[in-house]
Structure formats: structure tokens, C-alpha cells
Amino acid sequence: MEQKLIINAQDVQTKTTIFLFDTVNQFKNLGEETQNYLQSKLDKKEHFIVFDNWNVLSIYVFIDTTEKTRHSGYLSVQEIKKQQIDDVSIVDYSQGEQGILPFMEGFLLSLYSFDKYKSKANDSSLDIYLTTQKEQAIQEIENTVEAVCIARDLVNEPSNTLTAEQLSHEIEALSISHKFNAEILTLSQIQSLKMGGLLSVNQGSSLPPTFNILEHKPENPQNSQPIILVGKGVVYDTGGLSLKPTPQSMDIMKCDMGGAAAVVGAFCAIAKNNLPLHIIGLIPATDNHISNTSYAPGDVITMFDQTTVEVMNTDAEGRLILADALSFAKKYNPELVIDLATLTGSALHAIGHEGIVYMGTTNKETKQALEESGNNTHERLVEFPLWEEYSKQLKSPIADLKNIGGPSAGAITAGKFLEHFTSYDWLHLDIAGPAFLGGADSYRSQGGTGVGVRLLYDFLKTKAENN
Ligand code: BES
Ligand code: MG
Ligand code: ZN
């Protein structure tokens, strides 16, 4: 939906108004009848109350937990869509620290839809008049939500239009509009660098791979060593010769660049909100297609860092392209590297769409900070172990490693594979579950969710504040 957010405009009259409260006392100037009605609803623990008075809609939102308040934002948008409303006032009476912020976050995230391929255009629009004292924080949320929607668009774009090269063009365009740096390495450069993982996955494709380097470097950054974000950019995963079945598997594999989308979205939020940190993004991008030139199970390939890998399954391609990016990251002497990838069905099976499976070699404090950001943004994380015993599953009789483990602990053996290519503090986020939804779940839209953008932004912002 086309939307315009206007903050603290004077003398605006709209038919629909949303009022936000956090204590009952704030109802006082509403008149006794409304006050009693709201109180009776609150007594029944209803925090979202719609008052329809001859088509003049008043929505009363009582601030609850952050996540419930985001959900109230979603419910408000449902009401607006149902009634085909084209302007709304939001009046913030709440006094708490958060209040309007998660509400607006949920509200704005819920306005998203991907309809560029509908021949009948959705020409609805919404003017949002917001009265609040928290103008700057709202601006920051608006920027972050926009970044989430950029990530959603990238994931929702099908692979017949979003090829690896097109992904790079999008990154270039966003680097200009959002003011960060982008350097795109093309096939010949990737060949010169001998990125054997990326080249092998790309081998069956008629379309070239790219390797994207993003950089946000403000003046006087707070960190002397950069933080690196790595995103899996498989624009389509057929599985290769180890072909995937179609239903609920290959048919959703345009989502396999969800990690890349999260990194690009995070850069948009970071740059637009001027985060005072030096951050680098690395995105290896290709499709994983099938042809007579495809890499094959049994092949031994040599990775960027010279490790040899026996490919036992061409569908375990994400770890191959990520491994090259993780080895490449060493040259920056990073403080911390975080990769995001739709890496394993195993992570999805373990915890479903509700959270991110993560693991890593960094210290407890950093993991705790990440988990806290997960709770703040409701992009929650569960840590899986990287115990040494799991690496036995990756032993190859003829090469340094093989690219799959056994039938159990698939998310972990994928993590163990990646760990081999790291030599710094590292976090690995397997977003295979929450990256893509069959149907909308509250303010998380159907299709690409943009998961990771708000999480990374919150984590890095908190890091900048505590440096
Ligand atoms: N892209 C898939 C993982 C995936 C599954 C993402 C479901 C989103 C939803 C990945 O490349 C893959 O195919 N992984 C295999 C690894 C296996 C062959 C060891 C898997 O998880 O089945
Ligand atoms: Mg695969
Ligand atoms: Zn994949």
C-alpha cells in the first residue's frame, strides 16, 4: 500500500483515529461513557478495542508487552484495510519508554505487500498523521521498517528476474540511494581469486556468479576492526544433481538468498540511521542449477583457502559459497563475523518458523547480547552446540572434508563445516525457518519476512551504544 507518514502536523481531521494509552488515568478527558466502556474491556484483558460510531472509527490501544503492542499495530492495519480507509490519525497518550514505538513498528510492517506482478494494481493509499513526542525514534523505526521491506522485496522477487547479476544491480542501486559503498566482483575476478566453492555451485548455470562487497565506514567509527556480515545469496536452489522435490521444497527456493537480503537490508538501516560502526558485508551470489556442466556428487573441489572438499551432495551448496566468503573475511582482521543463511532444512525442522538456530565461537557476552537483541525484536534465537564430536561426520576418505554429515544434527554439521573456514570470533545464524512463510503471521508478511534486518540493526546499535 502506498503510504505517507506525517509527524506532528497541526489541525488535521481524519475519520479514523487510533489512541494509545498505557494507564487508565489517561482516559480521563474522554468522557465518562467512553471511559467506563474502555475500563470494562480492559477488565476483560482486551488491549485492542474498536469503536465504530456510524463509520467514524476510533481504535483504542492499551500498551502491553512490546510484541503484543506490535500485534496491535497489525490489528489496526487489518481494520484499516477492511474498511478501506485512506487516512488515519494516531494520537499517542502513552508515557512509557516504548509505547508508540513497537506499535508503529508493527503497524508499518503490516502495510507491506508484494503486488508488483498483479496486473490489476492495488492503488490504495494511506496517509498517517502521527502525534508524538518521540519523533526521532519514530524516524529510526521508519528507516528500519523500510529496510525490512527491501529485504522482503528481494526475497519475494522470483529467480527469473532476480539472478545473481540482478541482485548485484539492486545492491548497487541501494548503495547509492542509502549511501554505503558496494564493490561487485564478476566471474573473471572470482576465477582469479579461485573461489572454488562459489565456482563449483555455479558450474551448472548459464548465468555468472557475483561476489558482493558492501561497506559502511563512517568518520571516526567506534570500532578499529570491522564487523563483517556475510549472507548466503543462492538466488535459486534446485538442489543441483541431488535434485530437490518440488512441493514445499524447490517451489520456495527463491528464498535461498534470504541471508543476503538480510545483510542488504541491514546495510540500508545502518547507513540511513548513521550507525557509528565500521561494517563490511560479503555476499556470494549464484543459482544452484542443473545441467550437463553441473558439479556432481563425488567431485573433489578446492576452496578459496585451498581446503579440498569431497562433494557428497550438491544440495549442500550454501556452505560451499559461504565457506569462501568466510575465508575471504580473514583479510579484514575482523572483530566479529556474523553469517546469515537459509542453510538447512534441519534448522527448520528443529524449531519451525518461530526462531533462528544459531551457533558460534565468539564469547558468552556477545552471544548474550545477540540473544537479547533477538528478544527485543522478537527475532528470537536458540543456540545449538558446536561440540568437537560432530566434526567426525565431515571426514572424507579422500579429501580434507566432505560437504555433508550423517542423518542427524544437520544444522550443526553445517555449522561445523563453516567453522573450519573461520579464524576469528564468529556467529552463524541459520534462518531457514523464519525467512519465508506460507502465510502471513501477524506483522510478518506472507513470503519473505525480512528476518535478520531488525535483529542485526538492534544488535549493532546496542554494540555502538556500549562501546
Ligand atoms: N536451501 C536449503 C535449505 C533450506 C531448506 C532453506 C528449507 C529453506 C527452507 C539448503 O541448501 C539445503 O538444501 N540443505 C540441505 C542440506 C543437506 C543436503 C545436507 C537440507 O537441509 O536438506
Ligand atoms: Mg541446497
Ligand atoms: Zn540452499
Side-chain angles (χ1 to χ4, degrees):
M1 193 188 294
E2 189 82 30
Q3 78 213 44
K4 222 168 27 188
L5 176 61
I6 306 112
I7 301 174
N8 295 336
Q10 303 284 314
D11 301 321
V12 183
Q13 288 291 328
T14 58
K15 256 168 74 176
T16 307
T17 311
I18 303 173
F19 300 97
L20 274 88
F21 299 94
D22 47 19
T23 67
V24 186
N25 296 340
Q26 292 158 342
F27 300 155
K28 286 231 168 89
N29 52 355
L30 284 177
E32 204 173 335
E33 202 181 328
T34 317
Q35 213 177 308
N36 290 341
Y37 178 76
L38 289 176
Q39 188 58 59
S40 71
K41 290 287 189 182
L42 277 181
D43 291 343
K44 285 185 264 173
K45 298 231 178 306
E46 287 180 35
H47 291 80
F48 181 81
I49 303 140
V50 182
F51 226 39
D52 190 347
N53 198 349
W54 302 101
N55 281 334
V56 177
L57 214 61
S58 304
I59 298 175
Y60 295 92
V61 174
F62 198 72
I63 302 296
D64 199 314
T65 63
T66 4
E67 183 58 6
K68 283 197 182 139
T69 305
R70 283 187 198 105
H71 186 64
S72 291
Y74 164 78
L75 293 175
S76 303
V77 169
Q78 294 314 100
E79 213 57 50
I80 283 167
K81 283 185 182 162
K82 196 167 76 192
Q83 314 251 14
Q84 298 181 332
I85 286 160
D86 58 15
D87 58 6
V88 58
S89 302
I90 302 176
V91 184
D92 180 21
Y93 289 114
S94 73
Q95 301 285 325
E97 210 193 310
Q98 288 274 303
I100 184 77
L101 303 178
F103 176 84
M104 286 310 294
E105 192 174 36
F107 187 94
L108 296 172
L109 283 167
S110 304
L111 290 172
Y112 177 84
S113 64
F114 185 73
D115 31 44
K116 71 182 269 201
Y117 292 109
K118 297 269 191 194
S119 40
K120 201 168 155 272
N122 173 2
D123 50 12
S124 62
S125 71
L126 183 68
D127 290 342
I128 308 154
Y129 297 94
L130 170 62
T131 311
T132 178
Q133 316 254 325
K134 298 180 176 130
E135 191 164 344
Q136 219 185 332
I138 292 287
Q139 194 62 56
E140 185 182 9
I141 282 180
E142 203 186 359
N143 290 339
T144 309
V145 168
E146 187 220 8
V148 173
C149 295
I150 287 168
R152 288 175 173 181
D153 276 346
L154 288 171
V155 171
N156 289 330
E157 192 68 42
S159 78
N160 58 338
T161 47
L162 196 85
T163 60
E165 280 186 317
Q166 190 55 37
L167 174 60
S168 295
H169 290 151
E170 301 291 340
I171 291 171
E172 260 170 348
L174 290 165
S175 76
I176 293 164
S177 58
H178 287 70
K179 301 195 173 66
F180 56 86
N181 299 322
E183 187 192 353
I184 317 295
L185 306 186
T186 56
L187 176 63
S188 58
Q189 291 161 298
I190 296 166
Q191 282 167 335
S192 312
L193 287 167
K194 300 197 168 114
M195 291 189 163
L198 179 56
L199 290 165
S200 298
V201 174
N202 180 256
Q203 207 172 283
S205 179
S206 56
L207 303 171
T210 62
F211 190 88
N212 306 274
I213 305 171
L214 291 65
E215 187 172 30
H216 168 73
K217 195 171 188 184
E219 270 176 52
N220 306 317
Q222 292 184 1
N223 50 339
S224 51
Q225 299 164 260
I227 297 165
I228 302 188
L229 308 177
V230 178
K232 172 178 172 182
V234 172
V235 291
Y236 195 72
D237 185 10
T238 66
L241 289 171
S242 313
L243 194 64
K244 284 184 185 298
T246 298
Q248 285 162 54
S249 181
M250 203 200 297
D251 59 359
I252 58 162
M253 280 306 140
K254 69 174 182 181
C255 81
D256 215 15
M257 32 59 71
V263 171
V264 175
F267 263 81
C268 291
I270 289 162
K272 208 145 186 197
N273 291 326
N274 302 315
L275 222 59
L277 290 173
H278 180 201
I279 300 166
I280 289 170
L282 300 176
I283 298 175
T286 178
D287 54 59
N288 182 22
H289 257 287
I290 191 165
S291 77
N292 65 329
T293 60
S294 293
Y295 76 140
D299 284 1
V300 176
I301 64 175
T302 304
M303 307 289 283
F304 173 67
D305 78 339
Q306 298 295 311
T307 299
T308 56
V309 176
E310 187 183 14
V311 176
M312 295 311 285
N313 190 318
T314 60
D315 199 11
E317 85 297 341
R319 64 196 73 183
L320 298 174
I321 72 167
L322 285 172
D324 280 352
L326 291 172
S327 311
F328 189 80
K330 291 175 193 169
K331 73 168 189 171
Y332 297 101
N333 184 28
E335 175 186 333
L336 174 68
V337 176
I338 309 175
D339 78 71
L340 294 94
T342 48
L343 202 61
T344 65
S346 165
L348 168 65
H349 292 141
I351 65 166
H353 297 291
E354 303 308 325
I356 299 168
V357 167
Y358 90 99
M359 48 213 102
T361 55
T362 187
N363 56 56
K364 269 216 165 73
E365 292 72 42
T366 307
K367 286 180 180 177
Q368 212 165 0
L370 180 75
E371 287 188 27
E372 240 161 68
S373 288
N375 294 335
N376 290 343
T377 56
H378 209 68
E379 297 190 342
R380 293 165 298 179
L381 303 113
V382 179
E383 184 177 8
F384 277 22
L386 283 171
W387 296 324
E388 194 38 48
E389 286 76 359
Y390 294 109
S391 16
K392 284 187 217 145
Q393 295 191 33
L394 296 171
K395 284 208 169 123
S396 158
I398 63 164
D400 300 336
L401 287 175
K402 57 180 183 146
N403 77 329
I404 54 167
S408 61
I412 298 175
T413 49
K416 286 306 277 187
F417 183 90
L418 295 178
E419 185 188 9
H420 174 90
F421 299 88
T422 65
S423 58
Y424 37 66
D425 274 25
W426 166 67
L427 286 165
H428 160 56
L429 277 55
D430 193 331
I431 58 169
F436 198 85
L437 302 178
D441 171 27
S442 182
Y443 59 86
R444 294 199 296 169
S445 49
Q446 187 268 330
T449 58
V451 71
V453 175
R454 292 192 301 119
L455 171 69
L456 287 173
Y457 181 70
D458 187 87
F459 173 76
L460 294 168
K461 184 189 167 189
T462 310
K463 193 160 173 49
E465 283 166 358
N466 295 339
N467 259 6

